[in-house]
Amino acid sequence: MAEQPPPPIASIPKTPKLEPVEPSLDGHVHIRDLEGVFFSSLEVRYFTYGVLFGCGSSFAFQPSLVILGHYFKRRLGLANGLVTAGSCLFSMGLPFLLKIVGGALGVAHTFQMLSLFMLVQIFLSLTFRPVFPSTSDPHDVEQVKLESRSWRQQYASQMQKYFSMRVFRKKTYRIWAFGIATAVLGYFVPYLHLVKYVEKEFNETERGWVVLLCLGATSGIGRLGSGPIGDLIPGLKKIYLQVASFMLLGLMCILIPQCQQFWGVIVICLFLGLCDGLFITIMAPIAFELVGPLQASQAIGYLLGLMAIPMTAGPPIAGFLHTHFGNYHLAFYFAGIPPIVGGLVLAFVPLVHRRCVTRLGSGKDKMLVSETIMNGELLPGSPATEAHI
């Protein structure tokens, strides 16, 4: 069948005048109320807010974790805790602000206000000043060799440099990355389904927001507290903090359906927030321990990419289980199993690392010693002091 030509511009309906959004009788805002400022197509919103905003958030979040490793060594955990705890303040206050602004200005103008908040990050990112390596010695020779090649060879060399998969050669990093990817399958399920659960099970339609407030508050406490604790733990033993956080997070998710009263869910949310804060804060220091500062940027980037798929798939799977069985019990059981499995996998990382270290004394592993020190090719933005180890 021949493809139909697009409709003429004159036939495209104009965006109606924006009015404050009023919730319907069931308390929800329907798609017909979400009229945008420039576009009224839902597909366009999927692309702009979903794809573009998602990519932009990733580009902003990952460098904010890596840049700290350029300036902090012994207090990297504390620095990560202070930086990541700032986001908890917005996660607690933003829902109340959005409720007020959304009712007064409408959804479209609310998104415009959020865009202005994101615009501020452009200027804040200008404060990131990486400690670039020295341009002397062998790198000048490599640059001359690179310029003597064809443009295809130069392009392939640059792609191999910036999209190197060398971090996956380290067995400890592979176990750590895939263990976390497994654990976060149920990570977002409480955040997206817990409010509906308390509304349905305990008829808490007015106080459902309290669970999110408890999650955000204790997450901030966990981020501030776990940073200094991680600095006191030497080497890869820091990973046991992540093991404990994932095991406790999984157990708390499984216990949610067992709560008979609303206050029981509140207590569980307090522990869930602590687990969230501990997991986020200790992630970057562990990456620096596994691959060193020269490959930490790629290690964290690949880890976040692996986490994205299970994190996105978890809430829809839980929603499907709720629709099929008529309650959230199995959905929260499902959310609790992956963190426990992922925590058990992460527990093997220090053991594997210790086994690899014991093999470094043999003659055939001397090259592995130098690779452990240099941590691969020198990347832009890595500390100059690490370039000449």
Side-chain angles (χ1 to χ4, degrees), residues 105-135:
L105 301 179
V107 176
H109 288 310
T110 302
F111 275 101
Q112 286 184 328
M113 184 196 70
L114 293 176
S115 299
L116 293 178
F117 288 166
M118 295 297 171
L119 185 64
V120 177
Q121 297 190 32
I122 297 178
F123 303 100
L124 296 179
S125 63
L126 297 178
T127 62
F128 290 5
R129 298 186 60 184
V131 184
F132 287 94
S134 174
T135 56

Side-chain angles (χ1 to χ4, degrees), residues 353-386:
H353 176 73
R354 191 180 303 113
R355 182 180 178 183
C356 293
V357 170
T358 57
R359 294 172 52 194
L360 294 180
S362 60
K364 66 178 183 178
D365 289 331
K366 289 184 179 180
M367 293 184 64
L368 185 58
V369 177
S370 62
E371 181 184 356
T372 305
I373 297 177
M374 285 303 297
N375 292 304
E377 296 181 359
L378 190 65
L379 299 176
S382 59
T385 56
E386 301 289 344

Side-chain angles (χ1 to χ4, degrees), residues 133-145:
S134 174
T135 56
S136 60
D137 290 346
H139 298 291
D140 290 337
V141 178
E142 293 178 2
Q143 184 66 24
V144 172
K145 292 181 179 179

Side-chain angles (χ1 to χ4, degrees), residues 172 236 239-240 346-357:
T172 51
L236 275 181
I239 206 168
Y240 289 122
L346 294 179
F348 288 98
V349 175
L351 303 178
V352 175
H353 176 73
R354 191 180 303 113
R355 182 180 178 183
C356 293
V357 170

